[in-house]
């Protein structure tokens, strides 16, 4: 039975989940999986490693509690995440693939590619910081995947190293599209928005009480912050609480630690810019190809579209 008062909302979403299941594995119910360890969790979801019994294949299953979604008024975020993953799945190697989505009485389930090496935040924490070679390899893939999301008419809005998974070959796969903005007409120019995302990676335009606008440029800011994190080992705008992080972001109050590579510093300084119109890659003042052409990537060849290559820098 569904929790009292929840049936209409979830039933509507549930019917929208129909047709997502990919053939021929026909994943339609949690009983078709054995659930193993927990991979991570958020405020209203848990991600579990699971094996699809019929095929023996491992997956990551994101389980979203219906009761929590309703209590926290997050149903629309779950729907947006599912819709974005349906549109994006299989279109780019740098984006996590959703193989099926279904529900039971208590939860929604998204069956995702398993990223066996965890996420980029864990990798950086494990090593303290990354070399320039590693940081540019990951940044190139992030840029490629994010520009693809933009080309598909979406803004991720919660880019951070925790949402950048590592596949079996340690390549990036973007995940967690719960805060995604999907443009009805592909137009990603600035528009009114409420704050979504994570404190240390949120862009200043989303904090400005007067304007509160979002655009694809907010993702560009977060890419710059992610590159900073890979090399510095701590977020640029880390603070004792979210409020302090926000104040630092609004004042562009951050410094580079000693030894931060000059070429990466230049890249970060061109993306982590207060005015969203002035960030590298943002049209009309700049362009995606200018972003891809930054010196940080010199010597790396990576795809401009998934059709051209598998998106991996070589
Ligand atoms: P948040 O509240 O932080 O936004 P969330 O509830 O939306 O989190 P996700 O960000 O999708 O959940 O996943 C939480 C964590 O679970 C990730 O940071 C990652 O460590 C792990 N995880 C998610 N998806 C996968 C996957 N496909 N393979 C391996 N680990 C994963």
């Amino acid at each position: 039975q569904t929790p009292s008062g929840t049936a209409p909302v979830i039933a509507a979403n549930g019917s929208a989940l129909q047709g997502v299941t990919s053939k021929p594995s026909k994943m339609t119910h949690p009983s078709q999986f054995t659930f193993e360890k927990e991979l991570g969790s958020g405020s209203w979801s848990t991600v579990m490693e699971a094996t699809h019994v019929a095929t023996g294949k491992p997956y990551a299953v994101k389980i979203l509690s219906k009761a929590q979604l309703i209590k926290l008024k997050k149903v629309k975020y779950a729907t947006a995440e599912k819709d974005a993953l349906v549109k994006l799945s299989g279109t780019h190697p740098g984006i996590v693939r959703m193989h099926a989505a279904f529900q039971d009485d208590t939860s929604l389930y998204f069956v995702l590619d398993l990223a066996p090496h965890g996420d980029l935040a864990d990798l950086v924490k494990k090593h303290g910081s990354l070399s320039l070679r590693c940081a540019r390899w990951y940044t190139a893939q992030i840029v490629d995947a994010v520009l693809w999301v933009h080309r598909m008419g979406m803004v991720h809005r919660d880019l951070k190293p925790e949402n950048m998974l590592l596949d079996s070959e340690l390549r990036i796969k973007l995940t967690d599209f719960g805060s995604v903005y999907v443009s009805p007409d592909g137009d990603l120019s600035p528009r009114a928005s409420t704050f979504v995302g994570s404190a240390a990676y949120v862009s200043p335009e989303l904090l400005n009480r007067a304007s509160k606008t979002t655009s694809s440029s907010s993702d560009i800011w977060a890419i710059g912050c992610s590159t900073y994190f890979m090399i510095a080992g701590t977020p640029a705008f880390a603070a004792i609480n979210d409020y302090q992080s926000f104040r630092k972001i609004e004042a562009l109050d951050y410094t580079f630690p000693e030894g931060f590579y000059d070429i990466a510093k230049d890249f970060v300084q061109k993306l982590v810019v207060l005015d969203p119109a002035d960030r590298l890659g943002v049209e009309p003042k700049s362009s995606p190809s200018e972003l891809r052409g930054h010196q940080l990537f010199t010597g790396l060849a990576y795809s401009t579209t998934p059709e051209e290559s598998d998106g991996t820098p070589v």
Side-chain angles (χ1 to χ4, degrees):
Q1 297 299 310
T2 50
S4 130
T6 65
V9 182
I10 295 299
N13 289 333
S15 55
L17 293 178
Q18 316 258 314
V20 174
T21 303
S22 59
K23 290 172 201 158
S25 42
K26 285 229 163 68
M27 302 165 184
T28 53
H29 198 269
S31 61
Q32 296 166 322
F33 294 82
T34 50
F35 289 89
E36 285 118 33
K37 64 175 186 206
E38 184 179 313
L39 295 166
S41 64
S43 332
W44 53 86
S45 73
T46 306
V47 182
M48 300 285 298
E49 186 171 334
T51 303
H52 183 230
V53 179
T55 58
K57 283 192 184 158
Y59 292 96
V61 180
K62 185 162 178 170
I63 306 168
L64 300 96
S65 154
K66 289 181 181 181
Q68 282 295 95
L69 287 175
I70 290 161
K71 193 172 145 203
L72 301 170
K73 299 194 169 53
K74 299 293 179 189
V75 172
K76 71 172 183 181
Y77 291 95
T79 309
E81 179 168 17
K82 187 262 303 168
D83 290 346
L85 284 170
V86 168
K87 285 201 186 105
L88 291 168
S89 273
T91 65
H92 192 285
I95 295 166
V96 77
R97 185 190 282 254
M98 184 169 73
H99 297 267
F102 48 79
Q103 61 175 316
D104 64 9
D105 286 346
T106 59
S107 308
L108 307 179
Y109 300 82
F110 299 161
V111 182
L112 308 169
D113 283 332
L114 175 68
H117 292 289
D119 61 55
L120 191 59
D122 288 336
L123 185 86
V124 173
K125 279 176 208 151
K126 191 169 137 195
H127 295 283
S129 64
L130 301 187
S131 66
L132 178 63
R133 194 163 161 264
C134 276
R136 71 187 199 130
W137 145 266
Y138 287 124
T139 302
Q141 293 174 67
I142 294 161
V143 165
D144 201 44
V146 171
L147 290 178
W148 180 252
V149 171
H150 295 172
R151 268 183 66 178
M152 295 288 279
M154 300 177 209
V155 184
H156 185 288
R157 299 202 297 179
D158 194 14
L159 285 177
K160 55 180 175 177
E162 288 80 357
N163 289 338
M164 299 164 180
L165 302 173
L166 299 167
D167 72 8
S168 56
E169 284 156 61
L170 287 169
R171 286 176 312 196
I172 291 285
K173 290 213 183 282
L174 298 184
T175 193
D176 193 0
F177 286 81
S179 302
V180 71
Y181 167 74
V182 183
S183 165
D185 53 9
D187 178 11
L188 297 179
S189 54
R191 60 194 60 222
S193 173
T194 46
F195 166 61
V196 289
S198 302
Y201 294 84
V202 71
S203 54
E205 60 272 20
L206 281 168
L207 300 173
N208 184 326
R209 267 180 223 96
S211 68
K212 274 218 168 104
T213 53
T214 190
S215 69
S216 52
S217 186
S218 308
D219 284 348
I220 301 293
W221 167 280
I223 294 174
C225 291
S226 300
T227 304
Y228 178 100
F229 172 75
M230 285 182 236
I231 295 169
T234 51
F237 301 102
I240 47 166
N241 56 38
D242 288 359
Y243 178 81
Q244 295 299 338
S245 278
F246 297 156
R247 297 293 77 84
K248 287 177 122 181
I249 289 166
E250 285 172 327
L252 202 69
D253 175 10
Y254 78 103
T255 52
F256 291 97
E258 214 178 301
F260 200 101
Y261 312 105
D262 283 344
I263 199 165
K265 196 186 243 185
D266 183 78
F267 181 78
V268 171
Q269 282 171 332
K270 286 184 169 142
L271 274 67
V272 181
V273 171
L274 283 179
D275 187 338
D278 288 341
R279 293 176 198 147
L280 189 68
V282 177
E283 289 173 318
K285 288 188 182 171
S286 179
S287 65
S289 51
E290 207 181 330
L291 174 57
R292 292 174 192 280
H294 188 275
Q295 265 192 301
L296 180 65
F297 308 125
T298 304
L300 283 176
Y302 62 98
S303 76
T304 49
T305 65
E307 299 87 54
E308 287 168 26
S309 87
D310 68 356
T312 308
V314 288

